[in-house]
Short mmCIF file of all heavy atoms in Angstrom, two decimals:
data_model
loop_
_atom_site.label_atom_id
_atom_site.label_comp_id
_atom_site.label_asym_id
_atom_site.label_seq_id
_atom_site.Cartn_x
_atom_site.Cartn_y
_atom_site.Cartn_z
N ARG A 857 -123.92 130.06 -12.81
CA ARG A 857 -122.99 130.86 -11.99
C ARG A 857 -123.62 131.02 -10.59
O ARG A 857 -124.78 130.71 -10.39
CB ARG A 857 -122.78 132.22 -12.62
CG ARG A 857 -122.22 132.15 -13.99
CD ARG A 857 -121.82 133.50 -14.65
NE ARG A 857 -122.44 134.69 -14.14
CZ ARG A 857 -122.46 135.87 -14.80
NH1 ARG A 857 -121.90 135.96 -15.98
NH2 ARG A 857 -123.07 136.90 -14.30
N ASP A 858 -122.86 131.56 -9.69
CA ASP A 858 -123.33 131.81 -8.36
C ASP A 858 -124.46 132.84 -8.33
O ASP A 858 -125.31 132.80 -7.43
CB ASP A 858 -122.20 132.28 -7.43
CG ASP A 858 -121.17 131.20 -7.14
OD1 ASP A 858 -121.53 130.00 -7.32
OD2 ASP A 858 -120.06 131.52 -6.75
N ASP A 859 -124.47 133.73 -9.33
CA ASP A 859 -125.46 134.79 -9.35
C ASP A 859 -126.61 134.50 -10.33
O ASP A 859 -127.39 135.39 -10.70
CB ASP A 859 -124.86 136.12 -9.66
CG ASP A 859 -124.17 136.19 -11.04
OD1 ASP A 859 -123.88 135.10 -11.57
OD2 ASP A 859 -123.97 137.28 -11.56
N THR A 860 -126.71 133.22 -10.83
CA THR A 860 -127.80 132.87 -11.75
C THR A 860 -129.11 132.84 -11.00
O THR A 860 -129.24 132.16 -9.96
CB THR A 860 -127.55 131.52 -12.39
OG1 THR A 860 -126.28 131.52 -13.07
CG2 THR A 860 -128.63 131.21 -13.41
N VAL A 861 -130.10 133.56 -11.47
CA VAL A 861 -131.43 133.63 -10.80
C VAL A 861 -132.52 132.91 -11.60
O VAL A 861 -133.58 132.59 -11.04
CB VAL A 861 -131.85 135.07 -10.51
CG1 VAL A 861 -130.89 135.68 -9.53
CG2 VAL A 861 -131.94 135.89 -11.79
N LEU A 862 -132.32 132.69 -12.90
CA LEU A 862 -133.37 132.13 -13.73
C LEU A 862 -132.77 131.35 -14.88
O LEU A 862 -131.80 131.81 -15.51
CB LEU A 862 -134.28 133.25 -14.28
CG LEU A 862 -135.38 132.79 -15.27
CD1 LEU A 862 -136.43 131.95 -14.57
CD2 LEU A 862 -136.01 134.02 -15.93
N VAL A 863 -133.37 130.18 -15.14
CA VAL A 863 -133.06 129.40 -16.34
C VAL A 863 -134.36 129.19 -17.08
O VAL A 863 -135.38 128.86 -16.45
CB VAL A 863 -132.41 128.02 -15.97
CG1 VAL A 863 -132.17 127.19 -17.21
CG2 VAL A 863 -131.15 128.19 -15.18
N SER A 864 -134.35 129.38 -18.42
CA SER A 864 -135.55 129.17 -19.22
C SER A 864 -135.22 128.34 -20.45
O SER A 864 -134.42 128.76 -21.29
CB SER A 864 -136.12 130.54 -19.66
OG SER A 864 -137.31 130.36 -20.41
N VAL A 865 -135.83 127.16 -20.50
CA VAL A 865 -135.68 126.25 -21.63
C VAL A 865 -137.03 125.70 -21.97
O VAL A 865 -137.72 125.15 -21.07
CB VAL A 865 -134.69 125.09 -21.37
CG1 VAL A 865 -134.64 124.12 -22.52
CG2 VAL A 865 -133.30 125.63 -21.05
N MET A 866 -137.48 125.78 -23.20
CA MET A 866 -138.81 125.42 -23.57
C MET A 866 -139.05 123.91 -23.48
O MET A 866 -138.11 123.11 -23.62
CB MET A 866 -139.13 125.93 -25.01
CG MET A 866 -138.28 125.36 -26.07
SD MET A 866 -138.13 126.39 -27.59
CE MET A 866 -139.70 127.22 -27.68
N ARG A 867 -140.30 123.49 -23.26
CA ARG A 867 -140.62 122.08 -23.15
C ARG A 867 -140.42 121.40 -24.48
O ARG A 867 -139.89 120.25 -24.51
CB ARG A 867 -142.08 121.91 -22.68
CG ARG A 867 -142.51 120.46 -22.49
CD ARG A 867 -141.76 119.85 -21.34
NE ARG A 867 -142.03 118.42 -21.16
CZ ARG A 867 -141.21 117.45 -21.50
NH1 ARG A 867 -140.03 117.73 -22.03
NH2 ARG A 867 -141.51 116.19 -21.28
N ALA A 868 -140.86 122.00 -25.54
CA ALA A 868 -140.63 121.48 -26.91
C ALA A 868 -140.52 122.65 -27.84
O ALA A 868 -141.25 123.64 -27.69
CB ALA A 868 -141.73 120.53 -27.32
N ASN A 869 -139.64 122.56 -28.79
CA ASN A 869 -139.41 123.69 -29.71
C ASN A 869 -140.59 123.88 -30.63
O ASN A 869 -141.10 122.93 -31.21
CB ASN A 869 -138.13 123.51 -30.51
CG ASN A 869 -137.77 124.72 -31.28
OD1 ASN A 869 -138.07 124.84 -32.46
ND2 ASN A 869 -137.15 125.70 -30.63
N ASP A 870 -141.00 125.15 -30.79
CA ASP A 870 -142.19 125.42 -31.63
C ASP A 870 -141.92 125.26 -33.13
O ASP A 870 -142.85 125.17 -33.90
CB ASP A 870 -142.70 126.85 -31.33
CG ASP A 870 -141.62 127.90 -31.56
OD1 ASP A 870 -140.50 127.74 -31.08
OD2 ASP A 870 -141.94 128.93 -32.21
N GLU A 871 -140.64 125.21 -33.54
CA GLU A 871 -140.35 125.04 -34.98
C GLU A 871 -140.02 123.59 -35.31
O GLU A 871 -140.59 123.00 -36.21
CB GLU A 871 -139.22 125.96 -35.40
CG GLU A 871 -139.57 127.42 -35.37
CD GLU A 871 -138.56 128.29 -36.08
OE1 GLU A 871 -138.08 127.90 -37.19
OE2 GLU A 871 -138.24 129.38 -35.56
N THR A 872 -139.08 123.00 -34.58
CA THR A 872 -138.67 121.62 -34.87
C THR A 872 -139.52 120.60 -34.14
O THR A 872 -139.54 119.43 -34.54
CB THR A 872 -137.18 121.40 -34.51
OG1 THR A 872 -137.05 121.52 -33.10
CG2 THR A 872 -136.29 122.38 -35.20
N GLY A 873 -140.19 120.98 -33.09
CA GLY A 873 -140.93 120.05 -32.28
C GLY A 873 -140.09 119.22 -31.35
O GLY A 873 -140.62 118.34 -30.62
N THR A 874 -138.80 119.44 -31.34
CA THR A 874 -137.91 118.64 -30.50
C THR A 874 -138.21 118.81 -29.00
O THR A 874 -138.34 119.94 -28.51
CB THR A 874 -136.43 119.02 -30.75
OG1 THR A 874 -136.12 118.81 -32.14
CG2 THR A 874 -135.49 118.16 -29.91
N ILE A 875 -138.39 117.71 -28.32
CA ILE A 875 -138.75 117.71 -26.89
C ILE A 875 -137.43 117.84 -26.06
O ILE A 875 -136.48 117.13 -26.34
CB ILE A 875 -139.49 116.40 -26.51
CG1 ILE A 875 -140.80 116.33 -27.31
CG2 ILE A 875 -139.79 116.34 -25.03
CD1 ILE A 875 -141.49 114.96 -27.28
N GLN A 876 -137.48 118.72 -25.10
CA GLN A 876 -136.28 119.02 -24.33
C GLN A 876 -136.26 118.31 -22.98
O GLN A 876 -137.33 118.03 -22.39
CB GLN A 876 -136.17 120.54 -24.09
CG GLN A 876 -136.19 121.37 -25.37
CD GLN A 876 -135.04 121.03 -26.27
OE1 GLN A 876 -133.94 120.62 -25.83
NE2 GLN A 876 -135.23 121.19 -27.62
N PRO A 877 -135.09 117.97 -22.45
CA PRO A 877 -134.98 117.31 -21.16
C PRO A 877 -135.19 118.28 -20.02
O PRO A 877 -134.29 118.61 -19.20
CB PRO A 877 -133.54 116.76 -21.17
CG PRO A 877 -132.78 117.73 -22.03
CD PRO A 877 -133.78 118.19 -23.11
N VAL A 878 -136.41 118.76 -19.90
CA VAL A 878 -136.74 119.85 -18.98
C VAL A 878 -136.50 119.47 -17.51
O VAL A 878 -135.97 120.28 -16.71
CB VAL A 878 -138.18 120.33 -19.23
CG1 VAL A 878 -138.72 121.13 -18.03
CG2 VAL A 878 -138.21 121.21 -20.48
N ARG A 879 -136.95 118.29 -17.11
CA ARG A 879 -136.80 117.90 -15.72
C ARG A 879 -135.33 117.90 -15.30
O ARG A 879 -134.99 118.42 -14.22
CB ARG A 879 -137.44 116.53 -15.45
CG ARG A 879 -137.33 116.13 -14.00
CD ARG A 879 -138.01 114.79 -13.68
NE ARG A 879 -137.80 114.44 -12.29
CZ ARG A 879 -138.51 114.88 -11.26
NH1 ARG A 879 -139.54 115.68 -11.51
NH2 ARG A 879 -138.26 114.51 -10.04
N GLU A 880 -134.46 117.33 -16.12
CA GLU A 880 -133.03 117.30 -15.80
C GLU A 880 -132.43 118.70 -15.68
O GLU A 880 -131.65 119.00 -14.80
CB GLU A 880 -132.27 116.47 -16.85
CG GLU A 880 -132.64 115.00 -16.86
CD GLU A 880 -133.84 114.69 -17.74
OE1 GLU A 880 -134.60 115.63 -18.05
OE2 GLU A 880 -133.96 113.53 -18.14
N ILE A 881 -132.89 119.59 -16.60
CA ILE A 881 -132.36 120.97 -16.58
C ILE A 881 -132.90 121.71 -15.36
O ILE A 881 -132.17 122.51 -14.73
CB ILE A 881 -132.71 121.69 -17.91
CG1 ILE A 881 -131.99 121.00 -19.07
CG2 ILE A 881 -132.31 123.14 -17.83
CD1 ILE A 881 -132.40 121.53 -20.45
N ALA A 882 -134.15 121.47 -15.03
CA ALA A 882 -134.75 122.09 -13.83
C ALA A 882 -133.97 121.74 -12.58
O ALA A 882 -133.75 122.57 -11.70
CB ALA A 882 -136.22 121.76 -13.73
N GLU A 883 -133.56 120.47 -12.48
CA GLU A 883 -132.83 120.02 -11.32
C GLU A 883 -131.49 120.73 -11.21
O GLU A 883 -131.02 121.09 -10.12
CB GLU A 883 -132.63 118.53 -11.39
CG GLU A 883 -133.90 117.72 -11.16
CD GLU A 883 -133.74 116.23 -11.37
OE1 GLU A 883 -132.64 115.82 -11.81
OE2 GLU A 883 -134.69 115.46 -11.12
N ILE A 884 -130.85 120.98 -12.34
CA ILE A 884 -129.58 121.72 -12.38
C ILE A 884 -129.82 123.15 -11.88
O ILE A 884 -129.05 123.67 -11.05
CB ILE A 884 -128.95 121.72 -13.79
CG1 ILE A 884 -128.51 120.29 -14.15
CG2 ILE A 884 -127.80 122.69 -13.88
CD1 ILE A 884 -128.18 120.12 -15.61
#
């Protein structure tokens, strides 16, 4: 949103180990 100040998504999940597309999300 226009008033979004922070996005937080983990690099990899601590339970499943699934690696997240962090760079792409950071760019958004």
Side-chain angles (χ1 to χ4, degrees):
R857 302 186 337 198
D858 291 340
D859 62 340
T860 304
V861 295
L862 175 67
V863 178
S864 182
V865 176
M866 62 203 329
R867 182 68 184 105
N869 187 264
D870 58 312
E871 292 193 42
T872 65
T874 302
I875 299 168
Q876 304 299 330
V878 161
R879 182 177 176 84
E880 293 87 339
I881 296 173
E883 290 174 354
I884 291 168

